[in-house]
Amino acid sequence: MAVPSHTTSYYAASANDKSFRAPLNDNITADVCVIGAGYTGLSSALHLAEQGFKVVVLEASRIGFGASGRNGGQIVHSYSRDIDFIEKHYGKHTGTEMGKMAFEGGRIIRRFVAQYNIDCDLKDGGIFAACNTKQLHEMEQKKALWEAHGHTRLEMLSASTLQNHVGSTRYKGGLLDKSGGHFHPLNLVLGEAAALESLGGVIYEDSAVTGVQEGDKAIINTEKGSVSADFVIVAGNAYLGGLIPKLQQKAMPCGTQVITTAPLNKAQQKELLPQDNCVEDCNYLLDYFRLSGDGRLIYGGGVTYGAREPDKIESLIVPNMLKTFPQLKGVKIDYAWTGNFLLTLMRLPQFGRIGNNIYYAQGYSGHGVTSSHLAGKVLCDAIQGQAERFDVFAGLPQYPFPGGRTFRIPYTAMGAWYYTLRDKLGI
């Protein structure tokens, strides 16, 4: 039997654990069955196992196969829509409660790394880089907003001060979040999997779920086995496919592209990112970049709607990289790949419950690293009967994209074109 493999990414090539967990070939029972071994699934499973639950995780491919093992590896707080937007559209109570949770995901990541000795090259410091004066003003507003919600480890950077952090003349300044940071995303999720297993949790790879039967005891079927569980957590996100049709219509998979250079020498690393911070710009279709643990530049960006994989990833990303760092002209690109995230119409996460015991969390819209770890804690609390925070998320509207599956891609692409034009014009 052929073992499913990860995408040909730098992360897969440098993974700490390349071992394969066997597929499910039996009919078993569990307190909780989690569908999907990414950040949402494993954060949920690990939080539950810490509380004594018997947890089984079913993964269709490999641990971290989707966005959790392919993303930019940056700790970016809050949500794709910030707290002021949430309060304006959904009321002060919802804004306040989501504001209380907006910075928790990063703390959960750091706790997991410290408590379970996860080797994932975790480093502190993240920068939001402004491409124009309008964006710089927006970063000043973000700083005030986050500080009003108790997040104070922030520092505005002028264009000249930013040069101490980013060796590029592209930016007008930025915002340094000292509690942000970066890490090897696949090694983080593999470390979380090992932590779960150390607590008695079991993970089955190559075990795609073929159906979920609702009931007091839910039955989760795979090709060669099944799990009977008191609770189910659906955590497939952009890779869930049509397993739960009512979830599929609420969100759209989108692709983002990433490249990784050959290792750079110490002088080059110091020239590009002197403080070894990670960076993302403030455009609607943003670029993001950082150094890897072995001194490569990891540079990502771009969006393909509908999760279409471009033919030539390098041709999409290298020009942006050279716009930021022209000194890298001619550098060798060792890896290039696409990873899918799940976009919602309102760009806010979707939490909910189907029946009495099937929970889901999805649609982080590009802010999944921290939000997914928060989701795991919120779902764990809800299963234990503490649903107040879950209800805040579940109370957000979950609109389908207009035009259905046929027109949601062109409509969304038109919207992205509009915001990209605004970014270029600085308006």
Side-chain angles (χ1 to χ4, degrees):
M1 181 188 70
V3 173
S5 61
H6 284 278
T7 186
T8 54
S9 70
Y10 162 72
Y11 300 137
S14 56
N16 291 333
D17 179 6
K18 294 183 172 68
S19 60
F20 174 65
R21 278 74 168 177
L24 176 64
N25 290 306
D26 200 356
N27 300 313
I28 62 174
T29 63
D31 297 329
V32 184
C33 179
V34 177
I35 302 172
Y39 291 150
T40 300
L42 287 174
S43 176
S44 301
L46 189 47
H47 278 105
L48 287 161
E50 289 175 335
Q51 298 301 314
F53 285 82
K54 179 183 178 182
V55 184
V56 167
V57 179
L58 301 177
E59 167 55 46
S61 186
R62 301 294 302 273
I63 294 166
F65 174 81
S68 299
R70 308 189 193 197
N71 64 81
Q74 300 195 16
I75 295 175
V76 179
H77 297 293
S78 195
Y79 317 99
S80 187
R81 294 285 196 182
D82 220 332
I83 305 164
D84 54 347
F85 176 94
I86 296 169
E87 181 173 319
K88 177 181 177 181
H89 287 81
Y90 308 115
K92 185 170 181 58
H93 172 73
T94 299
T96 298
E97 293 305 309
M98 290 188 69
K100 292 176 182 177
M101 295 183 274
F103 311 100
E104 187 175 340
R107 295 195 294 271
I108 290 170
I109 291 171
R110 285 189 165 88
R111 177 176 77 81
F112 284 168
V113 170
Q115 184 170 336
Y116 297 105
N117 299 311
I118 298 175
D119 178 11
C120 62
D121 300 323
L122 178 60
K123 298 175 182 177
D124 292 335
I127 291 172
F128 300 95
C131 298
N132 53 55
T133 53
K134 174 179 177 287
Q135 292 177 357
L136 187 60
H137 178 59
E138 289 171 348
M139 288 305 98
E140 292 170 346
Q141 294 174 326
K142 179 187 287 287
K143 180 175 183 289
L145 174 68
W146 284 10
E147 287 176 341
H149 287 269
H151 189 63
T152 58
R153 298 183 61 197
L154 303 166
E155 178 185 345
M156 288 300 302
L157 303 173
S158 66
S160 59
T161 307
L162 185 63
Q163 291 284 315
N164 297 326
H165 298 266
V166 185
S168 174
T169 59
R170 185 178 179 183
Y171 304 113
K172 303 299 182 182
L175 176 63
L176 170 63
D177 182 357
K178 298 174 185 177
S179 73
H182 58 99
F183 57 92
H184 189 301
L186 183 54
N187 281 336
L188 173 63
V189 73
L190 289 168
E192 292 169 351
L196 172 64
E197 292 169 329
S198 75
L199 298 177
V202 181
I203 303 169
Y204 295 97
E205 294 183 303
D206 194 19
S207 298
V209 174
T210 58
V212 179
Q213 300 176 36
E214 298 181 35
D216 292 338
K217 284 275 190 179
I219 306 297
I220 305 90
N221 293 298
T222 68
E223 182 182 354
K224 297 181 180 179
S226 67
V227 181
S228 173
D230 296 320
F231 297 96
V232 180
I233 292 176
V234 180
N237 212 44
Y239 292 81
L240 186 63
L243 178 64
I244 312 289
K246 64 181 66 177
L247 298 187
Q248 185 182 26
Q249 67 185 14
K250 294 180 179 181
M252 177 173 63
C254 298
T256 182
Q257 291 75 52
V258 189
I259 60 174
T260 305
T261 69
L264 306 175
N265 62 46
K266 293 292 185 183
Q268 289 174 307
Q269 295 174 43
K270 200 71 174 175
E271 180 185 5
L272 299 183
L273 293 163
Q275 308 299 324
D276 201 6
N277 300 136
C278 61
V279 181
E280 68 169 51
D281 69 32
C282 302
N283 287 334
Y284 180 79
L285 299 182
L286 55 84
D287 289 0
Y288 49 90
F289 51 90
R290 64 184 184 88
L291 292 172
S292 67
D294 59 353
R296 303 168 184 267
L297 183 69
I298 299 174
Y299 201 104
V303 173
T304 52
Y305 295 100
R308 175 182 58 84
E309 185 155 341
D311 294 330
K312 295 182 179 180
I313 295 170
E314 293 95 329
S315 66
L316 295 175
I317 304 302
V318 169
N320 291 349
M321 179 187 75
L322 295 180
K323 185 176 180 180
T324 306
F325 298 118
Q327 60 267 50
L328 288 179
K329 186 175 182 180
V331 70
K332 184 175 183 292
I333 305 301
D334 277 352
Y335 301 93
W337 69 94
T338 291
N340 294 338
F341 64 93
L342 197 64
L343 181 71
T344 68
L345 186 64
M346 300 307 294
R347 287 170 47 201
L348 285 169
Q350 296 174 341
F351 288 39
R353 184 173 58 237
I354 301 169
N356 294 321
N357 56 356
I358 300 174
Y359 291 81
Y360 64 87
Q362 66 171 22
Y364 308 109
S365 302
H367 271 63
V369 169
T370 54
S371 294
S372 58
H373 283 85
L374 168 66
K377 179 65 168 72
V378 171
L379 291 169
C380 172
D381 291 346
I383 285 174
Q384 293 182 94
Q386 301 167 5
E388 293 85 358
R389 302 203 303 169
F390 173 84
D391 289 342
V392 170
F393 280 101
L396 297 172
Q398 299 180 12
Y399 302 117
F401 278 88
R405 297 183 66 184
T406 303
F407 295 105
R408 65 183 182 179
I409 292 174
Y411 283 171
T412 307
M414 287 172 61
W417 173 85
Y418 167 73
Y419 283 107
T420 299
L421 181 62
R422 288 184 58 178
D423 288 334
K424 288 181 179 179
L425 296 176
I427 59 175

